[in-house]
């Protein structure tokens, strides 16, 4: 029996683990992969306070991980399969065991949204990628296409110019949604070109990606654009595979919470990218993790009275 089980070891889950374990709660963190979440695969994080020169995403998240372990949080490296959330004892079934806790913090984060066009799944891992730091080095001297118009698309596009000879960023609108600093850096990079008001209709290739079919939304014409890699950054969706309808969510599937990150079920809290929040950054995930852990402490104190 744990005091609190945390699902997900991204910045929200790790921070919750640090606060909960340091506060004397028996704390378990369930993670199906590498601690750190999407932040760990970011080459450099420049807007997290305290690091004026920026810090590598893996380095920062590894420090979070080590700190949570130092305070006594137990890591369970398995995939969450099902949840029993009602009642005073919560049960979480993983690959090999059933774990029990008095409270649960859902911090499973989000995953890249798919284009859902022909060829995308076929060539995933063979030219289609959602992680520049994971796969960029495979495209040395090649031509790469980046799809998206937010910070991730422009920042990862700039990172990819370390390897590629040419990076083309395709955006379905006339204006980017990214911050001004990300836009300026991309536009000042001689290896980056832009195509606006266009969408990818198909990823083409035989054994590996060889190009895309592109539709101009103004002229309604299509053309083939050769490329060896397609990196997709069009937003995220919640990692909600293990959720089965008990929790209230908004229309995109993100979990609804109150101002103390409590869900509609007593003893179940949500933190970070998996919840309905206006901003998804490491800094906001950290704040969520801290608040969720403190809210759990207060919840458990009330149970004892």
């Amino acid at each position: 029996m744990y005091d609190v089980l945390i699902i997900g070891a991204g910045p929200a889950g790790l921070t919750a683990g640090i606060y909960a374990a340091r506060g004397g709660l028996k704390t378990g963190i369930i993670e199906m992969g590498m601690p750190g979440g999407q932040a760990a695969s970011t080459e450099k994080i420049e807007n997290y306070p305290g690091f004026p020169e920026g810090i590598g995403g893996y380095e920062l998240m590894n420090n979070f991980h080590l700190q949570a372990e130092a305070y006594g949080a137990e890591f369970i490296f398995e995939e969450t399969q099902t949840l029993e959330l009602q009642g005073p004892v919560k049960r979480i079934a993983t690959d090999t065991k059933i774990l029990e806790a008095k409270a649960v913090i859902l911090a499973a984060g989000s995953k890249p949204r798919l284009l859902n066009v022909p060829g995308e799944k076929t060539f995933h891992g063979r030219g289609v990628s959602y992680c520049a730091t994971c796969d960029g080095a495979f495209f040395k001297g090649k031509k790469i296409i980046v799809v998206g118009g937010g910070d991730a698309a422009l920042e990862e596009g700039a990172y990819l110019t370390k390897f590629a000879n040419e990076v083309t960023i395709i955006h379905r609108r006339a204006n980017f949604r990214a911050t001004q600093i990300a836009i300026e850096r991309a536009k000042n990079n001689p290896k980056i070109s832009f195509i606006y008001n266009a969408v990818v209709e198909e990823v083409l290739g035989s054994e590996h990606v060889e190009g895309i079919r592109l539709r101009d939304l103004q002229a309604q014409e299509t053309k083939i654009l050769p490329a060896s890699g397609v990196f997709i950054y069009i937003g995220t969706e919640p990692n909600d595979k293990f959720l089965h309808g008990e929790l209230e969510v908004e229309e995109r599937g993100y979990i609804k919470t109150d101002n103390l990150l409590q869900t509609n079920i007593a003893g179940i809290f949500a933190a970070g990218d998996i919840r309905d929040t206006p901003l998804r950054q490491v800094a906001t995930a950290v704040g969520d993790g801290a608040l969720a852990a403190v809210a759990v402490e207060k919840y458990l104190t009330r149970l004892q009275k």
Side-chain angles (χ1 to χ4, degrees):
M1 172 67 72
Y2 292 85
D3 291 315
V4 59
L5 281 168
I6 300 162
I7 300 178
L14 291 171
T15 303
I18 290 167
Y19 271 72
R22 186 173 179 271
L25 302 182
K26 185 177 181 184
T27 303
I29 302 176
I30 305 168
E31 170 56 50
M32 64 178 287
M34 180 180 72
Q38 291 191 74
S41 64
T42 302
E43 185 213 13
K44 192 174 185 181
I45 296 173
E46 295 184 319
N47 56 2
Y48 190 72
F51 299 93
E53 302 300 320
I55 183 171
Y58 175 79
E59 181 185 357
L60 181 62
M61 290 300 100
N62 188 51
N63 287 340
F64 279 34
H65 178 200
L66 294 174
Q67 193 169 354
E69 280 190 324
Y71 282 122
E74 177 188 342
F75 282 81
I76 302 133
F77 290 103
E78 297 201 24
E79 184 175 0
T80 298
Q81 299 295 341
T82 59
L83 308 177
E84 293 180 27
L85 303 180
Q86 302 287 355
V89 177
K90 322 298 182 182
R91 292 179 177 85
I92 299 176
T94 67
D95 297 324
T96 66
K97 60 189 76 174
I98 295 177
L99 305 168
E100 296 184 339
K102 300 170 189 173
V104 173
I105 297 174
L106 302 170
S110 60
K111 58 183 178 290
R113 183 178 295 137
L114 304 182
L115 281 172
N116 288 318
V117 299
E120 179 180 14
K121 290 183 179 178
T122 303
F123 294 107
H124 185 199
R126 293 189 289 146
V128 171
S129 177
Y130 308 86
C131 177
T133 53
C134 307
D135 299 325
F138 294 120
F139 298 92
K140 205 161 192 177
K142 307 287 188 181
K143 180 176 180 178
I144 291 175
I145 288 166
V146 173
V147 184
D151 283 338
L154 297 188
E155 290 171 359
E156 301 303 289
Y159 171 75
L160 287 166
T161 61
K162 292 184 175 183
F163 310 102
N165 282 346
E166 184 181 342
V167 173
T168 302
I169 298 178
I170 297 169
H171 184 37
R172 64 180 301 122
R173 297 182 177 86
N175 298 301
F176 290 116
R177 296 174 286 108
T179 56
Q180 194 58 38
I181 188 169
I183 293 170
E184 289 174 2
R185 283 179 179 170
K187 288 187 173 180
N188 290 332
N189 191 315
K191 286 188 174 183
I192 297 178
S193 60
F194 304 90
I195 298 176
Y196 303 96
N197 299 305
V199 295
V200 176
E201 286 198 330
E202 185 178 2
V203 180
L204 307 170
S206 51
E207 293 297 315
H208 300 274
V209 168
E210 295 172 5
I212 61 167
R213 188 185 312 280
L214 189 70
R215 175 171 291 278
D216 185 312
L217 293 175
Q218 293 180 325
Q220 288 301 316
E221 297 174 348
T222 62
K223 66 177 181 178
I224 305 299
L225 200 63
S228 299
V230 180
F231 286 76
I232 300 166
Y233 298 99
I234 57 169
T236 62
E237 53 191 30
N239 284 319
D240 57 359
K241 178 182 172 183
F242 55 86
L243 301 177
H244 301 290
E246 291 184 273
L247 291 164
E248 287 185 6
V249 298
E250 48 89 83
E251 62 272 10
R252 295 167 299 166
Y254 291 100
I255 299 169
K256 291 183 178 180
T257 63
D258 64 15
N259 60 353
L260 292 178
L261 306 190
Q262 170 87 46
T263 69
N264 61 301
I265 300 176
I268 308 298
F269 301 79
D273 286 9
I274 198 170
R275 80 176 187 94
D276 183 18
T277 177
L279 185 63
R280 290 181 170 84
Q281 295 284 305
V282 174
T284 54
V286 166
D288 272 13
L291 179 56
V294 172
V296 164
E297 284 190 71
K298 292 180 178 178
Y299 168 78
L300 296 178
T301 299
R302 289 196 304 271
L303 284 185
Q304 294 170 358
K305 291 182 179 178

